[in-house]
Amino acid sequence: MNVAAIHAQEFEACQKCTLCESFCPVLQVEPSFPGPKMAGANGARLVHLQEKGPAAVGTLDLCTDCRTCNLVCPSGIKPATLILKQRWQGRSSRVSIIRNSVLSRPDRIGKIISLWPSVVNWTLKQKMTRRVAERVIGIAAARSFPAYAPVTFRRWYARHASALQKQVAVTRKVVFFHGCYANFNRPDLGRHLVQVLENVGYEVIVPKQKCCGLPLSLNGDIEAARNLARDNLECILPYVEKGMPIVFTCPSCASMFKSYYVDVFDLPGAVEVAKNCFDACEFILNQIPEHIKQNAFGPVAMKIAYHTPCHLRAQGIGTPAVELLFLIPAIKLHVLGNNCCGMAGTYGFKAEKYDLSLKIGTSLFQEIKECQPDKVVTDCGTCALQIGENTGYTVIHPIDLLFQALEASRAMVKQVEAAR
Amino acid sequence: MLKESVQVPAYERTFDIVVVGAGLAGLFTAALLSKMGMRVAVIAKGAGVVVASTGFIDVLRRTPAGEPVEDLKATLSQFKTHWPDHPYGRTGWEALAAAENYLAELLSSIGLKYITPCQTANTRALTPLGTLKQTHLLPASAATTETLKKKSVAVISFDGLLDFNPSLVQSNLAGLFPGTKITWALASLPQRKGSYQSGNVKSLTIAREFDDEEQREILIKSLKEAIPWREKPEVVLVPAVLGLKKHFASWQALRKHLGMEVFEVPVLPPSVAGARLFNSLKSVLDTRKVPVNLNCQALSAGAAGGEVKYIDVASEGKIIRYRARYFILATGGLIGGGLIEVNGQLCEPLCYSPLTGAFRLNYQSFVYNAGVAVDDNLRVQGFSNLLACGRILGGYNPYYEGCGNGIALATAMKISTTLEGETGHECGCYSCAGI
């Protein structure tokens, strides 16, 4: 199957209204990017007619795949998806460089690093290492890598699961796709989600899984990315067939399962799995009435600035995290304007895109600094990296905050009991 | 699209009111209803076309009978007797005036100044082609005939700006204002590495540069150099690119530096003035905690006993069911997707609402005034909790009458009054204060 094949109905409905250009975060700061209308719909038309690869793959690479254009288009065109397909068409003959192999397989890199995380974390912090990285493989020296945790989520979970078996019977089951970020970089986030769900009687199952394939499809080999997707679907589908929902803490992994596995990779079982995929906050808000009833959460007296990741917005579910956080007593929540942070996963790591990535995020960083929150909250791991690095604020996941609010409520209950 | 409608929803969401559509009618209805303390949600397929518009609010160019409009208030007051099925026949002048006031108030609260130069008559404003169009509520920076009644006017654009043609504007204006000396010139854009492919500069690019104070200074300097000072212009017209987020500051800075009046002429899409209007409405809804959920295409509705129970919406990969006490159809007409054509017959595909003027479609006699049939409170006929506003309504031809935006606002206001009465809402809010 030719995954990069472009069909006429994918661009025919474009009215050239340029709405996508009005919202594109790259075009805002980089006028040499042709933009979603030109690169997406128009480019696809040319490719379709001429049946040959686009000449301008270099400029198409400026696209961050934030999918804002897919979201705003009033005619149902998906310019970002069309750009992605053209990139693959143009790149199929190219030799992949070292950087692509580093950036496109966070699961493999994570496995290697997790053998000796403290040493790697130290090494990655060194200026020397970073300069060499920029020279040799083109990863921006100014960019800090996310720290790798000493114990991965999966290792914690294995121990946790065996300890759990002695406890009370569970009533409901849910599958957690942790992705690379929660596994290698933020295992505490995974733990928090597991605890939040177990609290209300869910058993959390963590199946075998690979990287969702998004970094690979943007940086390297589309066929290989499709293979990752196929492997993941094979692991997940049996659970879906048993009626279990799949929960994600990473919006990019979630949007991969929900849209690209179906729309682009066109794999067997993708549609069934997509129907059962939930963003973590979406799941809690809509499937766990225990959590959204009044007084479920204890107070968290903090000023929070919330940033909506592009890949969350693209899912068409609104911003469930915002609705959940508003339920926490004493919280002061400021929802930041819809600005892309510019990180776009691996995009901001690349030496030639680093400046552009900061430029896209400038207005967001400024808004955060003006807001002066205690903490910034966002669902996406790489948005968190970018915001933390450029504003100096601690950035956490909404699930971390929900966990904190549930702990606060438990502490209150204990206090009351002690007083009796 | 329709094949998915048989899917089972993954979960349900419940609100007081769900507005379907994020055009001017949908966004403004949501703004009005959220003021009443109701839980409102907007769901829409895309961002709506406010962004592509000039940002002007046209209310009525001519009556359905083709008569020009002298006194808006008097003309609109006659609609009830002459054209009772026209949306203005149901809203009257009062709803329109209240809606316009409220919109201007909302926009000014977040720094976007809109004015109504004459309350009871239309104002003629400049179009991107340099022709005139009748409008009513418009950005304070927009060029109108009043602002052009001078001896000498200069039209200045930027070299390479795609969406604006100053020589066309100049020659059209010269025909319209024979007594005025009109000149045009191009200002050069500062060169920088990698940007500005020649002849390919977009209006939004320049607008965003105006937002940045350093770049604004450079642009103003270049505009100043381009002005034909020999002609002693009293007014300068520029394309509507004076800032997106910091529009007022950009406009004021340019006026101050040139020492004369400056007005904007709207540009072709992507329209900066349209983007300002959309962003402002969106930020009002953000502060009122009204979710505007995009990529949410409404697929089908479930109704029983004349009551819409839910609307099923396609998000990425699955169906979500939205339940509410009231549903508002603001899905647009044939172009916006609120009405579709099935075998040559018009159809409202969400709730299968009854239509007026729904004849077979053909090119010779396209039925512009076809749309959803409603009662005097804008309730869709046959439904108790489904109301409609904006282009989807039947009984008018916005292209002929020049009234699309006015109808969007007035019908939104009418809906909010209707629901206010039914939900027993009373507070100190604007619409309760007796309009």
Side-chain angles (χ1 to χ4, degrees):
Chain A
M1 175 208 166
N2 180 7
V3 273
I6 291 169
H7 307 284
Q9 65 266 28
E10 290 180 84
F11 56 78
E12 270 295 281
C14 176
Q15 301 176 4
K16 311 282 173 263
C17 72
T18 63
L19 223 70
C20 49
E21 292 193 356
S22 304
F23 289 96
C24 173
V26 179
L27 208 54
Q28 284 179 23
V29 297
E30 182 50 66
S32 67
F33 177 46
K37 182 189 78 175
M38 289 286 283
N42 290 7
R45 187 182 297 270
L46 288 175
V47 170
H48 181 75
L49 290 178
Q50 299 178 355
E51 291 182 338
K52 65 182 183 192
V57 175
T59 50
L60 291 190
D61 266 347
L62 287 170
C63 171
T64 60
D65 194 47
C66 73
R67 297 175 220 163
T68 306
C69 47
N70 288 4
L71 185 75
V72 298
C73 177
S75 308
I77 306 276
K78 295 187 168 171
T81 312
L82 289 169
I83 291 176
L84 195 73
K85 288 186 173 187
Q86 290 178 70
R87 282 205 248 185
W88 297 333
Q89 292 199 348
R91 195 181 274 129
S92 53
S93 59
R94 286 189 173 188
V95 190
S96 81
I97 54 173
I98 310 171
R99 182 177 74 187
N100 285 348
S101 54
V102 173
L103 291 182
S104 60
R105 283 304 296 269
D107 52 343
R108 263 189 211 158
I109 297 293
K111 257 186 201 157
I112 298 167
I113 294 180
S114 296
L115 294 174
W116 210 353
S118 53
V119 174
V120 179
N121 285 341
W122 182 85
T123 316
L124 286 174
K125 272 187 198 147
Q126 301 314 306
K127 273 188 187 157
M128 197 56 199
T129 324
R130 294 207 199 164
R131 261 186 237 138
V132 172
E134 174 149 347
R135 279 274 172 79
V136 180
I137 60 174
I139 288 176
R143 181 67 73 188
S144 49
F145 265 81
Y148 284 81
V151 179
T152 65
F153 170 74
R154 291 192 76 88
R155 263 170 68 195
W156 171 83
Y157 174 79
R159 263 183 265 153
H160 171 79
S162 55
L164 200 71
Q165 277 162 6
K166 301 159 201 149
Q167 288 186 6
V168 278
V170 286
T171 47
R172 297 172 286 187
K173 290 182 179 182
V174 61
V175 174
F176 176 33
F177 188 92
H178 47 67
C180 306
Y181 181 72
N183 189 30
F184 298 115
N185 306 112
R186 285 287 320 275
D188 51 330
L189 165 59
R191 283 203 301 275
H192 290 160
L193 179 73
V194 169
Q195 279 160 346
V196 165
L197 292 172
E198 283 179 352
N199 229 349
V200 283
Y202 271 99
E203 182 191 340
V204 181
I205 297 166
V206 179
K208 213 179 129 204
Q209 54 187 266
K210 289 185 173 165
C211 172
C212 69
L214 180 62
L216 190 57
S217 43
L218 289 171
N219 292 298
D221 185 349
I222 181 56
E223 288 299 337
R226 188 161 181 261
N227 290 338
L228 283 180
R230 182 186 284 123
D231 293 350
N232 278 330
L233 286 175
E234 259 170 34
C235 296
I236 301 284
L237 194 60
Y239 296 101
V240 169
E241 280 166 351
K242 282 181 207 153
M244 288 181 218
I246 322 294
V247 172
F248 298 78
T249 44
C250 170
S252 296
C253 298
S255 72
M256 240 359 230
F257 272 77
K258 285 179 171 188
S259 74
Y260 279 7
Y261 279 16
V262 181
D263 289 352
V264 181
F265 294 140
D266 193 22
L267 286 163
V271 175
E272 288 71 31
V273 171
K275 272 190 229 168
N276 288 281
C277 289
F278 297 87
D279 168 70
C281 290
E282 178 193 13
F283 185 75
I284 293 170
L285 181 67
N286 297 297
Q287 306 287 61
I288 309 185
E290 295 94 315
H291 272 345
I292 54 166
K293 68 170 190 241
Q294 273 202 325
N295 306 328
F297 297 116
V300 178
M302 269 203 280
K303 188 175 180 189
I304 296 295
Y306 175 80
H307 164 68
T308 313
C310 296
H311 285 174
L312 184 85
R313 208 165 346 126
Q315 290 174 34
I317 52 171
T319 43
V322 171
E323 290 181 55
L324 275 182
L325 296 184
F326 272 129
L327 298 174
I328 299 178
I331 202 169
K332 265 193 185 168
L333 184 64
H334 173 77
V335 181
L336 297 158
N338 285 334
N339 293 311
C340 175
C341 75
M343 186 65 173
T346 54
Y347 191 88
F349 280 104
K350 298 170 185 173
E352 77 280 7
K353 307 261 171 58
Y354 178 74
D355 290 342
L356 187 57
S357 147
L358 294 194
K359 225 169 149 185
I360 295 173
T362 306
S363 60
L364 177 69
F365 309 148
Q366 203 180 337
E367 198 185 342
I368 292 172
K369 285 174 190 162
E370 280 164 15
C371 170
Q372 295 192 321
D374 295 315
K375 274 181 187 164
V376 179
V377 171
T378 189
D379 312 69
C380 170
T382 54
C383 292
L385 204 64
Q386 171 91 327
I387 293 169
E389 207 173 293
N390 290 287
T391 60
Y393 281 104
T394 312
V395 189
I396 56 172
H397 193 281
I399 294 293
D400 298 327
L401 207 58
L402 289 184
F403 175 74
Q404 204 179 328
L406 285 173
E407 290 286 287
S409 122
R410 259 198 244 167
M412 273 168 65
V413 171
K414 268 185 199 163
Q415 254 181 6
V416 172
E417 278 168 5
R420 274 181 198 156
Chain B
M1 177 177 77
L2 287 168
K3 69 172 193 280
E4 290 169 18
S5 61
V6 289
Q7 284 186 7
V8 185
Y11 56 85
E12 298 186 349
R13 309 234 46 202
T14 308
F15 293 89
D16 291 326
I17 300 169
V18 167
V19 179
V20 190
L24 184 63
L27 294 175
F28 190 61
T29 308
L32 284 166
L33 295 176
S34 63
K35 196 93 209 274
M36 294 161 43
M38 302 240 206
R39 283 194 75 215
V40 183
V42 179
I43 52 169
K45 182 171 69 172
V49 287
V50 176
V51 175
S53 76
T54 55
F56 296 171
I57 307 294
D58 306 349
V59 299
L60 189 68
R61 182 168 69 230
R62 57 187 159 206
T63 67
E67 297 144 357
V69 177
E70 303 293 338
D71 185 333
L72 265 176
K73 189 178 174 181
T75 311
L76 279 173
S77 305
Q78 290 168 3
F79 268 66
K80 202 172 173 57
T81 42
H82 291 1
W83 300 281
D85 292 337
H86 192 288
Y88 277 146
R90 305 184 200 280
T91 67
W93 158 256
E94 287 72 20
L96 177 66
E100 284 188 301
N101 281 338
Y102 186 59
L103 178 64
E105 201 178 278
L106 271 187
L107 296 177
S108 82
S109 73
I110 36 179
L112 183 62
K113 202 172 174 215
Y114 262 61
I115 53 166
T116 310
C118 177
Q119 189 66 28
T120 57
N122 279 318
T123 298
R124 286 192 292 172
L126 248 64
T127 70
L129 300 178
T131 55
L132 295 173
K133 77 176 219 154
Q134 298 197 37
T135 188
H136 195 232
L137 177 66
L138 71 172
S141 60
T144 63
T145 44
E146 286 307 309
T147 61
L148 291 181
K149 285 180 180 160
K150 297 278 166 16
K151 274 188 192 142
S152 176
V153 172
V155 185
I156 315 283
S157 182
F158 290 99
D159 195 10
L161 174 61
L162 265 184
D163 313 314
F164 188 77
N165 186 335
S167 79
L168 180 68
V169 173
Q170 182 266 340
S171 55
N172 276 335
L173 281 181
L176 291 167
F177 298 91
T180 309
K181 170 98 183 156
I182 295 165
T183 48
W184 71 276
L186 286 177
S188 57
L189 280 169
Q191 289 297 312
R192 66 202 62 164
K193 205 180 130 201
S195 44
Y196 300 143
Q197 297 169 356
S198 69
N200 195 15
V201 184
K202 284 155 184 157
S203 47
L204 276 161
T205 310
I206 303 183
R208 287 177 180 125
E209 293 190 350
F210 266 104
D211 285 346
D212 180 279
E213 279 178 35
E214 265 176 48
Q215 298 193 47
R216 183 191 299 161
E217 236 169 73
I218 301 171
L219 290 168
I220 289 178
K221 212 175 131 204
S222 135
L223 277 172
K224 199 170 180 177
E225 280 166 10
I227 290 175
W229 294 103
R230 270 181 305 174
E231 311 290 346
K232 298 194 177 95
E234 294 157 83
V235 171
V236 168
L237 297 184
V238 294
V241 295
L242 302 179
L244 185 63
K245 285 182 187 161
K246 295 179 183 163
H247 162 57
F248 192 72
S250 306
W251 183 33
Q252 294 309 310
L254 184 59
R255 284 168 76 178
K256 200 178 137 207
H257 274 81
L258 298 184
M260 68 177 94
E261 283 302 326
V262 178
F263 293 101
E264 288 186 318
V265 182
V267 294
L268 298 176
S271 163
V272 179
R276 285 176 203 145
L277 179 59
F278 177 84
N279 293 345
S280 307
L281 283 170
K282 176 74 173 43
S283 81
V284 165
L285 294 177
D286 284 347
T287 50
R288 294 188 184 172
K289 299 183 190 172
V290 176
V292 180
N293 295 354
L294 301 184
N295 195 8
C296 285
Q297 183 171 13
L299 293 176
S300 60
E307 192 182 345
V308 177
K309 303 283 185 191
Y310 59 83
I311 286 183
D312 280 351
V313 165
S315 75
E316 286 291 351
K318 61 176 180 279
I319 307 290
I320 299 171
R321 181 162 287 179
Y322 281 73
R323 288 187 183 272
R325 250 172 103 184
Y326 291 98
F327 291 91
I328 315 293
L329 273 184
T331 44
L334 200 54
I335 297 169
L339 300 173
I340 58 167
E341 176 259 7
V342 181
N343 300 328
Q345 194 88 37
L346 267 189
C347 167
E348 188 277 290
L350 193 54
C351 304
Y352 299 101
S353 312
L355 303 181
T356 59
F359 303 103
R360 289 192 79 81
L361 294 173
N362 65 57
Y363 285 114
Q364 281 76 41
S365 57
F366 187 82
V367 193
Y368 288 102
N369 59 3
V372 167
V374 290
D375 71 6
D376 276 351
N377 288 322
L378 301 181
R379 204 181 304 274
V380 177
Q381 282 177 12
F383 291 96
S384 60
N385 67 339
L386 179 68
L387 294 94
C389 61
R391 178 65 275 249
I392 196 170
L393 291 170
Y396 77 114
N397 179 347
Y399 312 106
Y400 181 75
E401 297 159 26
C403 63
N405 290 343
I407 299 266
L409 295 185
T411 51
M413 181 55 94
K414 180 77 183 175
I415 282 182
S416 99
T417 324
T418 304
L419 295 192
E420 225 174 86
E422 285 179 20
T423 54
H425 164 76
E426 262 182 49
C427 75
C429 78
Y430 189 87
S431 36
C432 283
I435 291 155

